[in-house]
Amino acid sequence: MRTYSPKPSEITRTWFEIDATDLTLGRLATEVALRLKGKHKPIYTPHLDTGDFIVIVNADKVFLDPNKAAKTFFHRHSGYPGGMKSFSQAQRLATKPEEVIRQAVRGMLPKNTLGRQQLGKLKIYQGASHPHAAQGPVKLELPQARRNPAA
């Protein structure tokens, strides 16, 4: 018996669209990372990129616990003395919500070339519109990631 490994011609990629309104950041990121890796497919192979494309809209409406948003900080350093800048996650979510989601998903992907390739299939937009309508993305509902299941 031999181990099956899918050929690049056998890998099909589907486009999914996720509306991030009222979705919890961490739960959204885990679902997105799972689909970018391709773990939801029967042909999943850890050393190949078998994942799908993900388009996230309404990134500015993602839910983040206010206490966690105030306590979590991002740091950046210019390399010069006194060049350290710190931003709370609440500030970052207000100014660049796409980067907050991208960083959360990036932390759940492999830290190598394969992870960078998988992250390249993630498209994040602040508003409800996106330029990928021609690819015909399938709307994906993530009820387990909702902050309020009744919402």
Side-chain angles (χ1 to χ4, degrees), residues 58-121:
N58 293 323
D60 51 342
K61 296 178 182 155
V62 71
F63 174 74
L64 187 61
D65 182 36
N67 293 329
K68 187 180 283 189
K71 292 178 184 175
T72 307
F73 283 89
F74 294 99
H75 306 289
R76 198 180 78 209
H77 200 288
S78 67
Y80 290 98
M84 185 162 174
K85 301 211 183 229
S86 297
F87 308 98
S88 71
Q89 192 146 5
Q91 291 172 325
R92 191 94 185 260
L93 192 61
T95 57
K96 294 183 179 179
E98 305 97 351
E99 291 304 313
V100 172
I101 294 174
R102 187 178 316 281
Q103 190 166 15
V105 172
R106 189 177 126 209
M108 298 178 187
L109 292 175
K111 278 63 173 178
N112 55 22
T113 310
L114 182 64
R116 289 187 290 275
Q117 182 181 356
Q118 291 167 346
L119 191 63
K121 295 182 304 190

Side-chain angles (χ1 to χ4, degrees), residues 54-57 59 97-99 101-102 122-126:
I54 304 287
V55 178
I56 298 177
V57 294
E98 305 97 351
E99 291 304 313
I101 294 174
R102 187 178 316 281
L122 177 63
K123 316 294 182 191
I124 306 172
Y125 299 98
Q126 253 185 342

